[in-house]
Amino acid sequence: MSGTNTTMSRAEILGNIRTGLNRNQDDSQRQQAVTNRLAAKADNLIPSRAQLPFAEQVALFKAMTDEALAELIELDSLDQVPQACADWLSSQGIRQLISASNSELTTMDWSPLEQQQITRTERVAQAGDIASLTSSFAGIAETGTIMLHSGSQSPTTLNFLPDNHLIILHRSTIVGVYEEAWKKTREKYGNSMPRTVNMITGPSRSADIEQKLQMGAHGPKNLVILLIND
């Protein structure tokens, strides 16, 4: 069948579909309705269990992260992050930390790592790296999920290649549901969205093989959340 005949046939098929749906060639009203709906960014049906006062949302987030087998370390301030990292890495016998390079991290006093002979390097993660440290954008109480945005100072490889992922999460950024996290993203970026948005709920796992749970199947074996109670 020639290319022309194929095109004609396709046009006829689509024409028959339009006729069956009672749609004429002028789709401007329908297209405008779709445009209006996308622009409105209306919420979908939101589960009631996450529509809570903020303190209860934080409590739900903690409960869900525990259920997802993530480790939660609560800190009073951001200044305590280097010591917390040093203590956790030392307890695991890890002597190297691959870190994002955003200003939140670069302005910290990392001497606690040096005192325990732990090297911190700011770069993309590579195969064989053991531990990484990143900041985060939001915590979602509904499922104990953390939202992370990619960027030049926080490459996505840090979220998935190392076996251990340490994430800084500010208590003030916890929201109830996914819709609220996306609203915060739109408020910050407008139409210039980050190239990658990752949703992480606990360490990576899979039970695809013989229904036996395997940790670290597609990413980190351990997820450590450093919750800053700001």
Side-chain angles (χ1 to χ4, degrees):
M1 183 179 293
S2 68
T4 302
N5 289 337
T6 302
T7 302
M8 291 290 291
S9 177
R10 185 182 300 114
E12 290 172 356
I13 292 172
L14 294 175
N16 290 335
I17 293 174
R18 291 191 185 94
T19 300
L21 294 174
N22 295 320
R23 291 177 181 164
N24 56 31
Q25 294 296 320
D26 183 9
D27 282 345
S28 59
Q29 291 184 344
R30 185 169 60 87
Q31 291 174 355
Q32 187 59 51
V34 172
T35 300
N36 293 341
R37 179 179 174 82
L38 292 174
K41 299 179 175 64
D43 292 339
N44 292 307
L45 182 64
I46 297 176
S48 60
R49 73 190 191 93
Q51 298 183 46
L52 303 166
F54 179 69
E56 294 180 33
Q57 289 179 348
V58 173
L60 177 60
F61 176 84
K62 293 178 182 179
M64 295 306 295
T65 55
D66 182 65
E67 186 173 313
L69 304 180
E71 183 175 348
L72 186 70
I73 299 175
E74 296 192 52
L75 303 174
D76 293 328
S77 69
L78 199 61
D79 294 339
Q80 296 177 342
V81 167
Q83 187 64 59
C85 290
D87 293 342
W88 191 88
L89 293 168
S90 292
S91 71
Q92 304 298 313
I94 299 172
R95 297 300 170 191
Q96 185 183 43
L97 179 65
I98 309 305
S99 170
S101 58
N102 53 297
S103 59
E104 182 176 61
L105 299 180
T106 56
T107 56
M108 292 182 186
D109 175 12
W110 289 102
S111 58
L113 266 67
E114 298 172 4
Q115 293 168 7
Q116 300 197 43
Q117 298 182 333
I118 299 171
T119 302
R120 186 181 72 91
T121 307
E122 296 175 1
R123 59 168 171 79
V124 299
Q126 300 171 354
D129 288 336
I130 303 301
S132 64
L133 172 68
T134 67
S135 298
S136 63
F137 182 74
I140 303 170
E142 180 181 353
T143 51
T145 297
I146 296 181
M147 175 185 275
L148 302 98
H149 296 164
S150 66
S152 60
Q153 297 177 330
S154 187
T156 300
T157 54
L158 294 171
N159 303 339
F160 297 107
L161 285 181
D163 283 343
N164 304 279
H165 187 190
L166 287 72
I167 303 177
I168 298 172
L169 174 68
H170 291 267
R171 183 178 184 271
S172 58
T173 66
I174 293 176
V175 296
V177 296
Y178 286 88
E179 285 80 358
E180 291 300 318
W182 282 113
K183 284 180 182 178
K184 286 167 64 74
T185 299
R186 294 190 192 100
E187 288 171 0
K188 180 175 181 179
Y189 294 98
N191 293 325
S192 301
M193 298 289 279
R195 189 169 190 266
T196 305
V197 175
N198 294 131
M199 303 283 197
I200 297 178
T201 308
S204 174
R205 74 199 76 186
S206 175
D208 291 344
I209 302 175
E210 298 181 353
Q211 296 185 348
K212 293 181 180 179
L213 184 62
Q214 299 290 328
M215 304 302 289
H218 310 292
K221 295 179 180 178
N222 295 302
L223 181 70
V224 182
I225 302 169
L226 305 172
L227 180 63
I228 314 300
N229 286 316
D230 53 2

